Structure formats: C-alpha cells, structure tokens
C-alpha cells in the first residue's frame, strides 16, 4: 500500500511541477511581449522618421508581429499538453496516424496508376 501511495504522490507532484512550469512560461511570455511592444512603440517607432526604406519598416514590423504570434501558438500547445495531457497526446497521435495512412494510400494509388 505504501508503494502505491508513493507513486501516486510522485505522479501528483510531477503534475503540479508541469503546471508550475506552464505558469512560469505564461509569466515570461507576458513580460517579454510587454517589453517587446513597449520597445516597438517607443524606441523603434522613434527611429522610423530616419528610415527611408518602407520595405525595411515593414520587415521590422513583421518581425515583431511574427515573434509574438509564434510564441502565442507555442504557449497554447504547451497549455494543451499540460491540462489535456494524454487526451491531447492521443489526438496528436491519431491525427498523424490518419495522415500517415492517407499518404500511404495516396502513394499506393499513384504507383498502381503508373503500372497501368
């Protein structure tokens, strides 16, 4: 009985640790994105008057935007992994398995057409 209690305790402790890591990820995400937005608004925008190349201005804007969008997507998947756990993993595995089966079927059909 003691062994089961210890393993249950360790599993619960591991779950709490993963949730703490996710919360830390959210805090770092918010701090860096807020700092990034402030830098973009007050520092980069101040230099815009000295930059004549509109393409370069667009490139700067796109980089700031791309960084935030990609990190947001990563944070969402991290949250799904933490809170959905095995359900999310099963979905991910089934999605890729279905994709693999479809691709195999597609290649087999293409090979059959070549033989004819």
């Amino acid at each position: 009985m003691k062994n089961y209690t210890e393993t249950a305790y360790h599993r619960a402790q591991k779950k709490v640790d993963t949730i703490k890591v996710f919360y830390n990820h959210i805090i770092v995400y918010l701090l860096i994105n807020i700092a990034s937005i402030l830098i973009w608004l007050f520092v980069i925008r101040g230099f815009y008057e000295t930059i004549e190349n509109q393409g370069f201005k667009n490139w700067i804007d796109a980089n700031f935007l791309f960084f935030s969008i990609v990190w947001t997507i990563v944070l969402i998947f991290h949250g799904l992994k933490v809170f959905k756990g095995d359900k999310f993993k099963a979905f991910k595995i089934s999605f890729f398995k279905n994709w693999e089966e479809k691709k195999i079927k597609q290649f087999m059909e293409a090979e059959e057409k070549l033989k004819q």
Side-chain angles (χ1 to χ4, degrees):
M1 184 69 176
K2 183 180 179 186
N3 190 18
Y4 175 75
T5 307
E6 287 180 11
T7 56
Y9 176 79
H10 289 297
R11 282 194 306 269
Q13 186 178 25
K14 186 176 178 182
K15 183 71 174 170
V16 168
D17 287 343
T18 59
I19 292 171
K20 280 178 24 181
V21 168
F22 176 68
Y23 289 155
N24 287 336
H25 189 179
I26 290 174
I27 291 169
V28 170
Y29 167 83
L30 290 173
L31 291 175
I32 292 190
N33 274 304
I34 289 169
S36 177
I37 289 168
L38 292 175
I39 289 170
W40 181 63
L41 286 174
F42 297 111
V43 177
I44 302 297
R45 288 285 184 185
F47 290 115
Y48 268 27
E49 292 132 14
T50 62
I51 300 172
E52 293 178 11
N53 186 344
Q54 184 61 37
F56 185 63
K57 291 178 187 179
N58 293 342
W59 180 80
I60 291 171
D61 292 341
N63 277 300
F64 275 95
L65 187 62
F66 178 76
F67 170 75
S68 295
I69 290 171
V70 169
W71 199 354
T72 301
I73 292 168
V74 168
L75 187 67
I76 289 169
F77 278 105
H78 187 185
L80 287 172
K81 182 180 175 191
V82 168
F83 292 108
K84 294 294 182 182
D86 292 334
K87 293 177 186 174
F88 178 65
K89 189 175 182 180
F91 167 74
K92 190 168 70 172
I93 289 170
S94 69
F95 173 77
F96 286 114
K97 188 171 185 168
N98 290 340
W99 176 82
E100 286 176 359
E101 290 172 1
K102 287 178 186 176
K103 281 296 179 186
I104 289 170
K105 186 177 178 182
Q106 179 186 4
F107 289 133
M108 288 174 60
E109 289 172 357
E111 189 173 325
E112 283 296 319
K113 286 181 183 178
L114 286 175
K115 286 181 181 180
Q116 294 174 356

